[in-house]
Amino acid sequence: MNGTNETLSLNLQLITLLVLVLLIALLTASETALLTYKRLHATSRKERLNHLLSHTDQVITLLQLFKYFLLILVIWLGLALMSRFIDLAVVWSMVLSLLGFTLVLLLVAELLPRKLARLYPESFAYSFAEFYSALLVLAWPLVALVNLLANMVLKLCQQPTTPPNIVKFSGAELRQLIEVEGLNIPPEHLEMLISIVDLESSQVEDIMIPRHQLVGIDLAEDWADIQEQVIHSLFTRLLIYEHSVDNILGFVHLKRLLPLLAEDKLDREHLKASIRPAYFIPKGTSLIQQLLNFREQARRSAIVVDEYGDILGMLALEDILEEIVGEFSTVPIRHENTIQIMADGSAWLDGATPIRDINQALNLDLPVNGPKTINGLIMEHLELLPVPGMTVLIEQHPMEIRKTRKNIIKTLIIYPAIPASNLSGAADGKK
């Protein structure tokens, strides 16, 4: 009979211990769910849940009180059970018991419920809203007392109850935070958020339209040619210069010229009067800062210059937006896989251009039995991540990397081939 009673008592203790661990797990899950739900949603369809979300500090205090109370019960009951098998008078046995139950609580009552609550915050938050609302009313004096004591301790330590300054994160920390906490964010939205963070580490010279690709109107040209350019322009904002790109006057919006053109009143003087002075920016400006500058200056285009004032290229607001949302297919000059042959024989092209198209357009003989795009061919040759300004020699052709995005070559220049005799002579000279 005594043996039966002992068995029942042991089973009852085991069941009680299991129930207590599950209760702690539910407390942890509901706490995480409330915090996650508050971060993802401003309001809820349930009034009870809205009330809890507006008193988060008190609710967390309530949860912590019950969690620690249950933890004490679990440890006490665990030690009582372990006394049946291990002599608790031995210090090492006590340490072993505490470590064992701590590990179980960490896995079952902390880590697992937190992960589940982050995946399904709404389900957990809705499930416990009614229960915690009622419990908060009942335990209000105790919760208020604990918060009051905590605030008194902070005041005695001369510490403010709220932080005076907002904690600032670095770009790498923000990127990691977005990747870790972005489980419920659609992949395309998550990619855009990461791209916004990456703007801090990129500069305007990384994505600008290079000087050689600038398209504009030269006021020194014949008026008939200028008028033809205005009529057939592919852009809404026209770059205006005189004699040379080094003498940029500014930009003209096409909507200001079309009414004059329709009334046959457009002439050189009206065109000059419509010019808005150019906006110059240094090449080292970060993209995130330039995005803010565009907003403050009410500008959409800027001329990029170096420390000596020499013009390096042009940056448009659309170029920064493309870094966030990807390429805009409606921009005529930005068609993928286009090859622009310059007057000096060099060719500007997109890194995604197929090697077969390059061979046909430029009459080259680049290898096609390996990578299929020029980006893949250069990456295979370099055996490292590409960087703007890097030059590689493939099949006697110098190839200069001009622009990269997310470790992929976006724009490069292929120069005319260097004669083999020059290469052999240079090699002999090095020897």
Side-chain angles (χ1 to χ4, degrees):
M1 188 70 177
N2 291 334
T4 303
N5 291 336
E6 286 187 11
T7 302
L8 289 175
S9 178
L10 177 61
N11 291 336
L12 181 60
Q13 289 179 351
L14 288 174
I15 293 173
T16 305
L17 180 62
L18 179 61
V19 171
L20 290 175
V21 172
L22 291 176
L23 286 176
I24 295 174
L26 290 176
L27 286 171
T28 302
S30 56
E31 175 190 343
T32 304
L34 284 172
L35 295 177
T36 304
Y37 189 91
K38 183 178 181 179
R39 187 169 63 247
L40 299 178
H41 305 276
T43 59
S44 168
R45 296 188 297 271
K46 287 194 173 184
E47 293 184 5
R48 290 287 189 181
L49 185 54
N50 284 332
H51 177 71
L52 292 178
L53 295 176
S54 62
H55 298 83
T56 309
D57 292 339
Q58 290 84 352
V59 174
I60 291 177
T61 301
L62 174 68
L63 296 180
Q64 293 298 328
L65 283 172
F66 277 93
K67 184 186 293 186
Y68 279 101
F69 175 72
L70 293 176
L71 283 172
I72 292 172
L73 289 180
V74 166
I75 294 174
W76 175 79
L77 187 56
L79 290 175
L81 285 172
M82 293 300 292
S83 65
R84 294 174 176 269
F85 310 102
I86 301 176
D87 185 5
L88 294 182
V90 182
V91 176
W92 287 108
S93 299
M94 294 181 63
V95 173
L96 179 62
S97 301
L98 290 174
L99 288 177
F101 279 104
T102 301
L103 181 61
V104 172
L105 288 174
L106 180 63
L107 294 176
V108 180
E110 285 289 337
L111 297 181
L112 181 60
R114 286 187 186 277
K115 288 183 178 293
L116 291 175
R118 283 178 180 174
L119 291 174
Y120 310 103
E122 292 189 9
S123 301
F124 279 90
Y126 286 149
S127 300
F128 296 105
E130 297 289 343
F131 172 73
Y132 285 132
S133 295
L135 193 60
L136 185 60
V137 174
L138 295 175
W140 181 260
L142 181 59
V143 172
L145 178 61
V146 172
N147 280 330
L148 179 61
L149 293 175
N151 291 333
M152 289 177 61
V153 172
L154 287 175
K155 289 181 179 179
L156 290 175
C157 297
Q158 297 182 349
Q159 293 294 328
T161 55
T162 56
N165 298 320
I166 298 176
V167 178
K168 296 183 179 180
F169 294 93
S170 65
E173 289 173 333
L174 281 175
R175 183 187 180 96
Q176 184 179 11
L177 181 63
I178 292 173
E179 292 175 347
V180 172
E181 299 292 341
L183 298 176
N184 296 320
I185 302 177
E188 59 273 15
H189 297 173
L190 188 63
E191 183 179 356
M192 283 193 287
L193 286 174
I194 294 175
S195 298
I196 293 174
V197 174
D198 289 342
L199 292 182
E200 184 67 39
S201 59
S202 300
Q203 298 178 343
V204 296
E205 62 178 329
D206 297 331
I207 67 168
M208 68 180 182
I209 301 173
R211 174 192 174 97
H212 297 87
Q213 285 187 309
L214 293 182
V215 177
I217 294 177
D218 184 0
L219 284 181
E221 291 184 357
D222 184 73
W223 175 248
D225 295 334
I226 294 176
Q227 194 172 24
E228 188 72 15
Q229 284 183 271
V230 172
I231 294 173
H232 295 95
S233 174
L234 299 175
F235 306 96
T236 57
R237 292 182 302 279
L238 307 178
L239 176 67
I240 308 296
Y241 61 91
E242 193 167 16
H243 296 293
S244 170
V245 178
D246 291 318
N247 186 27
I248 292 179
L249 303 179
F251 294 89
V252 172
H253 203 290
L254 196 60
K255 69 180 181 181
R256 302 185 62 180
L257 302 181
L258 292 180
L260 297 174
L261 190 63
E263 298 174 7
D264 198 22
K265 295 181 179 179
L266 181 62
D267 54 23
R268 200 181 298 271
E269 295 303 320
H270 281 94
L271 179 58
K272 287 184 178 180
S274 302
I275 296 176
R276 186 181 185 185
Y279 169 44
F280 296 91
I281 59 175
K283 64 176 183 178
T285 308
S286 69
L287 293 183
I288 190 67
Q289 181 60 50
Q290 188 54 47
L291 185 62
L292 298 175
N293 293 343
F294 274 142
R295 184 183 66 179
E296 293 175 0
Q297 299 290 335
R299 293 277 192 161
R300 299 178 65 90
S301 301
I303 303 300
V304 183
V305 297
D306 61 13
E307 60 269 25
Y308 303 106
D310 295 332
I311 294 174
L312 302 178
M314 185 182 78
L315 179 74
L317 177 62
E318 290 81 0
D319 296 323
I320 301 180
L321 296 180
E322 284 181 357
E323 292 296 304
I324 300 174
V325 301
E327 297 284 345
F328 293 116
S329 59
T330 56
V331 182
I333 200 172
R334 295 290 185 169
H335 288 315
E336 288 190 357
N337 305 341
T338 56
I339 300 175
Q340 300 184 28
I341 302 176
M342 311 307 292
D344 60 358
S346 63
W348 290 71
L349 61 153
D350 192 282
T353 307
I355 296 176
R356 292 184 182 275
D357 294 351
I358 298 173
N359 288 339
Q360 293 177 0
L362 303 180
N363 195 25
L364 304 183
D365 191 24
L366 300 177
V368 295
N369 54 351
K372 302 305 179 184
T373 65
I374 189 64
N375 171 73
L377 180 63
I378 295 177
M379 294 273 284
E380 182 183 74
H381 190 85
L382 287 174
E383 297 183 348
L384 49 82
L385 296 178
V387 177
M390 189 178 286
T391 302
V392 60
L393 185 66
I394 301 178
E395 298 294 328
Q396 300 179 213
H397 287 273
M399 301 182 185
E400 180 184 357
I401 300 170
R402 297 292 297 181
K403 176 183 173 183
T404 61
R405 184 171 185 264
K406 296 183 178 179
N407 299 328
I408 296 176
I409 301 172
K410 294 298 297 178
T411 307
L412 70 145
I413 310 174
I414 299 181
Y415 293 99
I418 300 176
S421 59
N422 291 358
L423 293 176
S424 61
D428 293 339
K430 289 182 179 179
K431 293 181 182 178

